[in-house]
Amino acid sequence: MAHDIVFFLAPDDETAAATRLQGPGRAFESVSCRFIEPDSAIAEWDMYFAQPSADIPPLEQLLGWSWPEWVTPPLNDGVEVFALPQRLTRALADAGSTELEELAARWTTRLRADDGDDMTDDDLLAVLQGIARLAASAVSTGGRLYSWSF
């Protein structure tokens, strides 16, 4: 589980990769959260928009889903930089409040089942709403949405 996660807007993969050592910092528009697995969250969100349902799909289905791509190769230091799929960025940018609420409820249920008392204290709906705003900005500016975590 990642300790610190920052979803951020960057113009391209090269710029996002340059955040690897220090994180995105204040130079990038971002949304932060703590104690989640960003790659599984991204896959969960992508699956939701491809196959909308309030029900949690089986874990095997999530594990078989297309997971986000690394922008930098993984090392043993725990730092990861992922690019969110373009289709997910567009879906988040277009999502209405009802979709985000349903997704947040589904995601919360999965995290609670997987992590129990160790689940993040973040307001997951607020996190998704912030990421959706970043996605809308990415779509309008031609940028990309990324995740940095440690």
Side-chain angles (χ1 to χ4, degrees), residues 9-73:
L9 181 61
D12 53 47
D13 288 357
E14 184 178 330
T15 304
T19 69
R20 188 190 178 296
L21 294 178
Q22 301 295 321
R26 296 176 190 247
F28 298 89
E29 190 177 351
S30 65
V31 172
S32 298
C33 58
R34 298 170 57 82
F35 304 116
I36 66 165
E37 292 290 345
D39 52 350
S40 65
I42 293 165
E44 175 92 28
W45 305 341
D46 192 40
M47 178 185 286
Y48 170 83
F49 287 110
Q51 302 172 355
S53 170
D55 298 328
I56 299 173
L59 183 59
E60 301 79 39
Q61 187 177 358
L62 177 63
L63 294 175
W65 198 256
S66 176
W67 285 53
E69 294 183 17
W70 277 295
V71 176
T72 57

Side-chain angles (χ1 to χ4, degrees), residues 68-81:
E69 294 183 17
W70 277 295
V71 176
T72 57
L75 301 174
N76 289 332
D77 62 2
V79 175
E80 297 177 316
V81 181

